[in-house]
Amino acid sequence: MVVIPLTLAVSAASAQQQANQDACARDVSRHCRAVMNNGDQAVLACLKEHRAKLSKACDKVLTEHGQ
């Protein structure tokens, strides 16, 4: 019985992470293409540098994650 709720929680977290990535994918390719291969922290720093130009969806994801 424990396995099913845990599996559902992992699936929900994975779906949420994918939704977050989808929200910022266009912004990353538009503003941060040069640092895409430098890791998540480099991409995050780039998105923060271009905060004023980001889509509302991506800005919301960053805000919801304390960035």
Side-chain angles (χ1 to χ4, degrees), residues 3-20:
V3 175
I4 294 171
L6 181 58
T7 302
L8 292 176
V10 169
S11 295
S14 179
Q16 181 63 41
Q17 183 178 11
Q18 185 63 44
N20 291 344

Side-chain angles (χ1 to χ4, degrees), residues 9-39:
V10 169
S11 295
S14 179
Q16 181 63 41
Q17 183 178 11
Q18 185 63 44
N20 291 344
Q21 290 175 354
D22 291 347
C24 290
R26 190 172 186 179
D27 293 295
V28 170
S29 66
R30 181 178 290 153
H31 305 295
C32 303
R33 184 178 303 268
V35 299
M36 285 175 61
N37 294 324
N38 296 349

Side-chain angles (χ1 to χ4, degrees), residues 44 48 51 60-67:
L44 177 59
K48 290 163 86 173
R51 192 67 178 250
K60 181 180 177 188
V61 168
L62 292 180
T63 300
E64 288 173 350
H65 288 89
Q67 299 298 322

